[in-house]
Amino acid sequence: MVASGPDITALLSRYGDGDSAALSELMPLVYGELKKIASRQLRGMGGNGLNTTGLVNDLYIKIASQDPRAVNNRGHFYALAARAMRNLLVDHLRARSAAKRNDGEAPLPLDEELAGTPDLAAFWLNVDGALTELSERDPRLVKLLECRVFGGYSFQETADVLEVSVRTVERDWMRAKAWLRARLDRGEA
């Protein structure tokens, strides 16, 4: 459940007006929810060496570095949090993949257990590439996927964030999943 309430919106308004202390007051209100979302995402992505607290702390730093005027209400905050979560996870996977390819060490022998495990990092990097491609065609579908996949938001929460009806979110969710599945099946990078 996405935290709600007038306190969050009021704090975001103060933050948008340049009161940087408002962000410090906001984070304890949303920290628990962000930690649940981060935990869910890390389980879905196989962990990949990240921990929940570190991811949420990095998320805080990323949000704090944004232009405060870009976050003007609760929905924008959670949309920004979902996008920031996506970017942090993908950046981590890219760095990890680069380190595997170019760390100067001899390759490890093939581990039969690992050979049967799908490469989750490659999968998520492909998803990120597909979302980047989709952002040029339909930015709303990308925001929806970020909310649902990277934010873990329900249909109602996603509708609140995107300021559309639940029915629109459900319809767009079906379209987005179909597009993403077809795009990933084509295997284009």
Side-chain angles (χ1 to χ4, degrees):
M1 169 73 65
V2 176
S4 63
D7 292 336
I8 292 174
T9 301
L11 288 170
L12 288 169
S13 178
R14 283 181 36 211
Y15 181 58
D17 290 340
D19 180 0
S20 59
L23 184 61
S24 297
E25 294 176 41
L26 172 69
M27 289 314 284
L29 296 176
V30 298
Y31 187 82
E33 184 61 32
L34 293 176
K35 204 163 178 178
K36 285 181 197 170
I37 293 167
S39 177
R40 208 172 29 234
Q41 289 308 310
L42 291 175
R43 275 195 310 272
M45 297 178 103
N48 281 299
L50 284 174
N51 68 58
T52 303
T53 301
L55 181 58
V56 173
N57 290 342
D58 287 348
L59 184 64
Y60 174 81
I61 291 168
K62 197 160 184 106
I63 289 171
S65 69
Q66 301 288 316
D67 181 353
R69 293 170 297 188
V71 186
N72 56 11
N73 65 37
R74 179 182 154 273
H76 284 145
F77 175 79
Y78 282 106
L80 176 68
R83 172 160 290 190
M85 186 90 61
R86 169 188 166 197
N87 291 339
L88 286 167
L89 292 169
V90 168
D91 288 349
H92 175 75
L93 292 173
R94 281 193 180 116
R96 196 173 159 107
S97 292
K100 277 184 185 175
R101 288 190 311 264
N102 197 16
D103 63 1
E105 294 181 17
L108 296 172
L110 180 63
D111 182 333
E112 290 183 22
E113 240 179 78
L114 290 176
T117 304
D119 187 352
L120 288 175
F123 171 78
W124 286 108
L125 292 175
N126 284 337
V127 169
D128 182 63
L131 293 180
T132 300
E133 180 184 319
L134 183 60
S135 69
E136 296 171 10
R137 298 167 57 189
D138 197 332
R140 188 171 82 188
L141 288 187
V142 174
K143 287 179 184 174
L144 179 141
L145 285 164
E146 287 173 342
C147 287
R148 296 277 299 147
V149 175
F150 292 94
Y153 304 156
S154 69
F155 286 119
Q156 181 64 58
E157 292 165 340
T158 302
D160 292 345
V161 168
L162 298 178
E163 298 177 344
V164 297
S165 71
V166 171
R167 181 67 190 125
T168 298
V169 169
E170 290 170 342
R171 203 174 31 248
D172 284 354
W173 175 240
M174 298 301 286
R175 276 186 343 138
K177 284 193 317 183
W179 184 89
L180 187 59
R181 182 172 295 124
R183 169 59 176 71
L184 293 175
D185 286 347
R186 286 195 318 259
E188 299 168 3

